Amino acid sequence: MSRSTHHVVLTDWVDLPQSSKRAVVVSINRPTQMNCFNTEVVSALARIFSNIADNKFEINGEYDDDIAAVIFTGNGPSFCAGADLSNPPNPLEQSSDLHEHLYNNPVHQMSRVPVPIIGALKGHVITGGFELALACDILVGDETTKFRDTHCTFEPLVV
């Protein structure tokens, strides 16, 4: 196995038994922040998924253009508890359809990946982390997995 460290995101190869193909493991690596993403994480994820989609992905100089799948997870007890509010990505840019914004949007780049993305979930999967999970093709979670979307809050309607 080769491992590449992008500090906030780790990548690794996994050899598949009885196959000449491999899977790529992509792990958000901010366990002390419950893998909340900031601008650095968003940029790293977008770059990694873009390179996989364009068959330009490598780890420490090791290149493989015959990837069978991507396993997307988080290090530590949580997959991703959403945005790091101390340094969040620009929400307008993350929801924009402009080319210069799509390049740095991990959800858009995930949609371009031609092989299945398997979300290996655990712990908190909240708001932006929920969006990352929903961009996966297959989700697998354990008994600790908790989904929550906090984009909006519903209040009683007073008439």
Side-chain angles (χ1 to χ4, degrees), residues 2 7 9 11 14 16 19 22 36 39 41 43 55 61 71 73 75-76 79 83-84 93 108 117-118 140 149 156 159:
S2 298
H7 305 290
V9 178
T11 55
V14 175
L16 300 177
S19 173
R22 299 190 287 185
C36 286
T39 53
V41 172
S43 179
N55 285 326
I71 301 166
T73 192
N75 283 342
F79 172 70
D84 180 343
E93 290 178 6
H108 171 73
I117 300 175
I118 302 164
V140 179
D149 189 357
V159 181

Side-chain angles (χ1 to χ4, degrees), residues 16 22-25 66-71 115-118:
L16 300 177
R22 299 190 287 185
V24 176
V25 179
D66 198 19
I67 296 168
V70 176
I71 301 166
V115 296
I117 300 175
I118 302 164

Side-chain angles (χ1 to χ4, degrees), residues 9 26 33 35 46 50 63 65 87 95 98-99 133 139 146 150:
V9 178
V26 177
Q33 294 87 11
N35 291 322
S50 175
Y63 172 79
D65 65 352
N87 183 18
S95 60
L98 296 175
H99 178 73
L139 297 177
K146 293 177 178 61
T150 61

